[in-house]
Amino acid sequence: MGQRQGPLEDLGVNAGFWRGRSVLVTGHTGFKGAWLVCWLQAMGARVTGLSLAPEGVPNLWALLGPGQGAGAVRSVIADINDRPALERVLAEAQPEVVLHLAAQALVRRSYRAPVETFATNVMGVVTLLDAVRACASVRAVVVATSDKAYDNVEQIWGYRESDAMGGRDPYSASKGAAEIAAASMSRSFFAPFVTGHPARVATARAGNVIGGGDWSEDRLVPDIVRGCLGATGSVTLRAPRSVRPWQHVLEPLRGYLMLAERLASGDDAAASGWNFGPDRVDERAVIEVAEAVVAGLGKGRIVIDEAGANHHEATLLRLDCTKARVGLGWVPVLRFADTIEMTARWYGGWAAGQSPAQLCRDQIAAYQDKCEEPT
């Protein structure tokens, strides 16, 4: 695994902070949400989740079976814009930390369902933060958006947190609008900008996360796994030369958790937007990712069909994560090869009949150990 910089004490998540703490995770039945809940459970947090039911079979949430046994998650199936349900959950859970991951997360679906996309991704943020105003227990809110929130002009340098929000497709535009909405709500109703509610709000921008257990539609790694392990034995690529900042799902989740810790401690500077992405050396074209995953799986072939790209897809998107490195002490600890190896090993283990929950727990534990290694 790769070289790291920064103070050792800042590289990892403080498990002691989360032990026994009440946490609300929205979007907990999704890919990132399920991994986050698994990590929080491992640290002993008291987790409540609010989300729509998971889509498709298989899905990671169902495979993990997080409602079983000690440390069970209270799972509420509801839309993020269902205000009465959200208020009930907040009143009953009395969370100190809210991690907002609920979203319509697919670019191509946003073309088919733009109203749903904007309603979930923009009004969902507003509904959540307005409901939090009535919940005095909350001290920290992290709103996960996307690297696609930036007005992407395909510049060669990375986007910084001060760059303009935007978006050409409905998904990207909704994430840019979510950033603007979150900043407005934060500055209007929450600390440190106004006297009133003591919670601090931050946004977290990451994208193109991969890892075991993702079966979302129209996403690269799930498409590779379905194709290469399925009947066709192949995967078709629409935009093989597009470059993306790929990272393992645990990398940005660590950023979200570290950011929440700082918000809850009353750190005023943390109440802003943050980028979480890989080092530039680990950016890869889609074709390179596909080749690496196929090699890791040990089977499958790649088919190129650029004529099948019916919608605009940016060819270049980079994040500048200097702020997270300097302000939080967050740096990536996994290299591209590590990310691919972990992802392929998870899917290979699942295909061989291993427990998905144990696969996640083992990778989380190994990742935490890596964060604690001396530089």
Side-chain angles (χ1 to χ4, degrees), residues 86-104:
L86 182 57
E87 289 177 343
R88 285 195 299 271
V89 166
L90 287 166
E92 293 169 4
Q94 290 294 296
E96 192 168 341
V97 175
V98 177
L99 300 165
H100 178 54
L101 278 66
Q104 193 299 92

PDB file of all heavy atoms in Angstrom, residues 86-104:
ATOM      1  N   LEU A  86     -39.312  11.470   9.225  1.00  0.00           N
ATOM      2  CA  LEU A  86     -38.005  11.985   9.610  1.00  0.00           C
ATOM      3  C   LEU A  86     -38.036  12.596  10.997  1.00  0.00           C
ATOM      4  O   LEU A  86     -37.126  12.364  11.820  1.00  0.00           O
ATOM      5  CB  LEU A  86     -37.557  13.018   8.572  1.00  0.00           C
ATOM      6  CG  LEU A  86     -36.183  13.663   8.742  1.00  0.00           C
ATOM      7  CD1 LEU A  86     -35.090  12.611   8.800  1.00  0.00           C
ATOM      8  CD2 LEU A  86     -35.925  14.647   7.598  1.00  0.00           C
ATOM      9  N   GLU A  87     -39.071  13.352  11.289  1.00  0.00           N
ATOM     10  CA  GLU A  87     -39.177  13.962  12.613  1.00  0.00           C
ATOM     11  C   GLU A  87     -39.326  12.903  13.700  1.00  0.00           C
ATOM     12  O   GLU A  87     -38.754  13.043  14.792  1.00  0.00           O
ATOM     13  CB  GLU A  87     -40.358  14.936  12.641  1.00  0.00           C
ATOM     14  CG  GLU A  87     -40.111  16.189  11.818  1.00  0.00           C
ATOM     15  CD  GLU A  87     -41.314  17.115  11.798  1.00  0.00           C
ATOM     16  OE1 GLU A  87     -42.432  16.646  12.135  1.00  0.00           O
ATOM     17  OE2 GLU A  87     -41.149  18.305  11.451  1.00  0.00           O
ATOM     18  N   ARG A  88     -40.087  11.839  13.419  1.00  0.00           N
ATOM     19  CA  ARG A  88     -40.227  10.764  14.403  1.00  0.00           C
ATOM     20  C   ARG A  88     -38.889  10.097  14.677  1.00  0.00           C
ATOM     21  O   ARG A  88     -38.542   9.805  15.830  1.00  0.00           O
ATOM     22  CB  ARG A  88     -41.246   9.724  13.916  1.00  0.00           C
ATOM     23  CG  ARG A  88     -42.697  10.158  14.017  1.00  0.00           C
ATOM     24  CD  ARG A  88     -43.630   8.971  13.863  1.00  0.00           C
ATOM     25  NE  ARG A  88     -43.478   8.331  12.554  1.00  0.00           N
ATOM     26  CZ  ARG A  88     -44.162   8.683  11.464  1.00  0.00           C
ATOM     27  NH1 ARG A  88     -45.029   9.708  11.525  1.00  0.00           N
ATOM     28  NH2 ARG A  88     -43.988   8.045  10.328  1.00  0.00           N
ATOM     29  N   VAL A  89     -38.143   9.824  13.619  1.00  0.00           N
ATOM     30  CA  VAL A  89     -36.837   9.172  13.781  1.00  0.00           C
ATOM     31  C   VAL A  89     -35.898  10.038  14.612  1.00  0.00           C
ATOM     32  O   VAL A  89     -35.218   9.558  15.529  1.00  0.00           O
ATOM     33  CB  VAL A  89     -36.221   8.864  12.404  1.00  0.00           C
ATOM     34  CG1 VAL A  89     -34.749   8.501  12.538  1.00  0.00           C
ATOM     35  CG2 VAL A  89     -36.977   7.737  11.720  1.00  0.00           C
ATOM     36  N   LEU A  90     -35.856  11.328  14.317  1.00  0.00           N
ATOM     37  CA  LEU A  90     -34.990  12.227  15.069  1.00  0.00           C
ATOM     38  C   LEU A  90     -35.415  12.307  16.536  1.00  0.00           C
ATOM     39  O   LEU A  90     -34.578  12.293  17.450  1.00  0.00           O
ATOM     40  CB  LEU A  90     -35.010  13.621  14.443  1.00  0.00           C
ATOM     41  CG  LEU A  90     -34.264  13.774  13.110  1.00  0.00           C
ATOM     42  CD1 LEU A  90     -34.640  15.091  12.430  1.00  0.00           C
ATOM     43  CD2 LEU A  90     -32.751  13.717  13.327  1.00  0.00           C
ATOM     44  N   ALA A  91     -36.710  12.383  16.767  1.00  0.00           N
ATOM     45  CA  ALA A  91     -37.208  12.492  18.142  1.00  0.00           C
ATOM     46  C   ALA A  91     -36.918  11.238  18.947  1.00  0.00           C
ATOM     47  O   ALA A  91     -36.585  11.306  20.143  1.00  0.00           O
ATOM     48  CB  ALA A  91     -38.710  12.774  18.122  1.00  0.00           C
ATOM     49  N   GLU A  92     -37.032  10.081  18.310  1.00  0.00           N
ATOM     50  CA  GLU A  92     -36.823   8.820  19.013  1.00  0.00           C
ATOM     51  C   GLU A  92     -35.345   8.486  19.185  1.00  0.00           C
ATOM     52  O   GLU A  92     -34.927   8.003  20.233  1.00  0.00           O
ATOM     53  CB  GLU A  92     -37.540   7.684  18.275  1.00  0.00           C
ATOM     54  CG  GLU A  92     -39.061   7.820  18.305  1.00  0.00           C
ATOM     55  CD  GLU A  92     -39.754   6.863  17.359  1.00  0.00           C
ATOM     56  OE1 GLU A  92     -39.060   6.027  16.724  1.00  0.00           O
ATOM     57  OE2 GLU A  92     -40.993   6.941  17.240  1.00  0.00           O
ATOM     58  N   ALA A  93     -34.535   8.727  18.148  1.00  0.00           N
ATOM     59  CA  ALA A  93     -33.117   8.362  18.216  1.00  0.00           C
ATOM     60  C   ALA A  93     -32.287   9.389  18.970  1.00  0.00           C
ATOM     61  O   ALA A  93     -31.253   9.049  19.552  1.00  0.00           O
ATOM     62  CB  ALA A  93     -32.562   8.189  16.805  1.00  0.00           C
ATOM     63  N   GLN A  94     -32.709  10.663  18.938  1.00  0.00           N
ATOM     64  CA  GLN A  94     -31.933  11.746  19.549  1.00  0.00           C
ATOM     65  C   GLN A  94     -30.450  11.623  19.163  1.00  0.00           C
ATOM     66  O   GLN A  94     -29.557  11.531  20.016  1.00  0.00           O
ATOM     67  CB  GLN A  94     -32.090  11.730  21.068  1.00  0.00           C
ATOM     68  CG  GLN A  94     -33.468  12.130  21.560  1.00  0.00           C
ATOM     69  CD  GLN A  94     -33.784  13.606  21.252  1.00  0.00           C
ATOM     70  OE1 GLN A  94     -33.114  14.507  21.762  1.00  0.00           O
ATOM     71  NE2 GLN A  94     -34.777  13.842  20.402  1.00  0.00           N
ATOM     72  N   PRO A  95     -30.170  11.649  17.865  1.00  0.00           N
ATOM     73  CA  PRO A  95     -28.778  11.458  17.433  1.00  0.00           C
ATOM     74  C   PRO A  95     -27.919  12.662  17.754  1.00  0.00           C
ATOM     75  O   PRO A  95     -28.387  13.807  17.761  1.00  0.00           O
ATOM     76  CB  PRO A  95     -28.915  11.275  15.919  1.00  0.00           C
ATOM     77  CG  PRO A  95     -30.135  12.080  15.574  1.00  0.00           C
ATOM     78  CD  PRO A  95     -31.082  11.882  16.738  1.00  0.00           C
ATOM     79  N   GLU A  96     -26.664  12.396  18.011  1.00  0.00           N
ATOM     80  CA  GLU A  96     -25.702  13.475  18.171  1.00  0.00           C
ATOM     81  C   GLU A  96     -25.027  13.785  16.836  1.00  0.00           C
ATOM     82  O   GLU A  96     -24.592  14.906  16.605  1.00  0.00           O
ATOM     83  CB  GLU A  96     -24.644  13.091  19.213  1.00  0.00           C
ATOM     84  CG  GLU A  96     -23.790  14.255  19.651  1.00  0.00           C
ATOM     85  CD  GLU A  96     -22.950  13.928  20.875  1.00  0.00           C
ATOM     86  OE1 GLU A  96     -23.279  12.961  21.584  1.00  0.00           O
ATOM     87  OE2 GLU A  96     -21.958  14.636  21.101  1.00  0.00           O
ATOM     88  N   VAL A  97     -24.963  12.766  15.962  1.00  0.00           N
ATOM     89  CA  VAL A  97     -24.346  12.922  14.649  1.00  0.00           C
ATOM     90  C   VAL A  97     -25.330  12.447  13.583  1.00  0.00           C
ATOM     91  O   VAL A  97     -25.961  11.398  13.738  1.00  0.00           O
ATOM     92  CB  VAL A  97     -23.039  12.111  14.539  1.00  0.00           C
ATOM     93  CG1 VAL A  97     -22.477  12.193  13.121  1.00  0.00           C
ATOM     94  CG2 VAL A  97     -22.003  12.602  15.547  1.00  0.00           C
ATOM     95  N   VAL A  98     -25.454  13.216  12.510  1.00  0.00           N
ATOM     96  CA  VAL A  98     -26.261  12.826  11.356  1.00  0.00           C
ATOM     97  C   VAL A  98     -25.340  12.752  10.144  1.00  0.00           C
ATOM     98  O   VAL A  98     -24.645  13.720   9.822  1.00  0.00           O
ATOM     99  CB  VAL A  98     -27.401  13.827  11.084  1.00  0.00           C
ATOM    100  CG1 VAL A  98     -28.171  13.430   9.823  1.00  0.00           C
ATOM    101  CG2 VAL A  98     -28.338  13.902  12.283  1.00  0.00           C
ATOM    102  N   LEU A  99     -25.335  11.593   9.481  1.00  0.00           N
ATOM    103  CA  LEU A  99     -24.550  11.390   8.272  1.00  0.00           C
ATOM    104  C   LEU A  99     -25.533  11.175   7.132  1.00  0.00           C
ATOM    105  O   LEU A  99     -26.202  10.149   7.059  1.00  0.00           O
ATOM    106  CB  LEU A  99     -23.621  10.183   8.440  1.00  0.00           C
ATOM    107  CG  LEU A  99     -22.615  10.322   9.592  1.00  0.00           C
ATOM    108  CD1 LEU A  99     -21.989   8.975   9.922  1.00  0.00           C
ATOM    109  CD2 LEU A  99     -21.538  11.333   9.248  1.00  0.00           C
ATOM    110  N   HIS A 100     -25.634  12.169   6.260  1.00  0.00           N
ATOM    111  CA  HIS A 100     -26.678  12.195   5.232  1.00  0.00           C
ATOM    112  C   HIS A 100     -26.136  11.671   3.906  1.00  0.00           C
ATOM    113  O   HIS A 100     -25.419  12.375   3.187  1.00  0.00           O
ATOM    114  CB  HIS A 100     -27.206  13.615   5.067  1.00  0.00           C
ATOM    115  CG  HIS A 100     -28.246  13.744   3.988  1.00  0.00           C
ATOM    116  ND1 HIS A 100     -29.380  12.967   3.946  1.00  0.00           N
ATOM    117  CD2 HIS A 100     -28.312  14.565   2.891  1.00  0.00           C
ATOM    118  CE1 HIS A 100     -30.112  13.301   2.886  1.00  0.00           C
ATOM    119  NE2 HIS A 100     -29.474  14.262   2.223  1.00  0.00           N
ATOM    120  N   LEU A 101     -26.492  10.429   3.583  1.00  0.00           N
ATOM    121  CA  LEU A 101     -26.061   9.803   2.337  1.00  0.00           C
ATOM    122  C   LEU A 101     -27.231   9.509   1.403  1.00  0.00           C
ATOM    123  O   LEU A 101     -27.019   9.043   0.282  1.00  0.00           O
ATOM    124  CB  LEU A 101     -25.312   8.494   2.623  1.00  0.00           C
ATOM    125  CG  LEU A 101     -23.823   8.589   2.996  1.00  0.00           C
ATOM    126  CD1 LEU A 101     -23.630   9.297   4.333  1.00  0.00           C
ATOM    127  CD2 LEU A 101     -23.196   7.201   3.054  1.00  0.00           C
ATOM    128  N   ALA A 102     -28.461   9.733   1.842  1.00  0.00           N
ATOM    129  CA  ALA A 102     -29.624   9.432   0.999  1.00  0.00           C
ATOM    130  C   ALA A 102     -29.580  10.275  -0.271  1.00  0.00           C
ATOM    131  O   ALA A 102     -29.424  11.489  -0.206  1.00  0.00           O
ATOM    132  CB  ALA A 102     -30.911   9.706   1.770  1.00  0.00           C
ATOM    133  N   ALA A 103     -29.713   9.629  -1.424  1.00  0.00           N
ATOM    134  CA  ALA A 103     -29.606  10.355  -2.685  1.00  0.00           C
ATOM    135  C   ALA A 103     -30.067   9.482  -3.842  1.00  0.00           C
ATOM    136  O   ALA A 103     -30.091   8.245  -3.733  1.00  0.00           O
ATOM    137  CB  ALA A 103     -28.156  10.785  -2.935  1.00  0.00           C
ATOM    138  N   GLN A 104     -30.413  10.138  -4.940  1.00  0.00           N
ATOM    139  CA  GLN A 104     -30.514   9.457  -6.228  1.00  0.00           C
ATOM    140  C   GLN A 104     -29.123   9.600  -6.827  1.00  0.00           C
ATOM    141  O   GLN A 104     -28.716  10.674  -7.233  1.00  0.00           O
ATOM    142  CB  GLN A 104     -31.578  10.118  -7.117  1.00  0.00           C
ATOM    143  CG  GLN A 104     -31.994   9.304  -8.347  1.00  0.00           C
ATOM    144  CD  GLN A 104     -30.867   9.013  -9.312  1.00  0.00           C
ATOM    145  OE1 GLN A 104     -30.209   7.964  -9.213  1.00  0.00           O
ATOM    146  NE2 GLN A 104     -30.597   9.919 -10.231  1.00  0.00           N
TER     147      GLN A 104
END
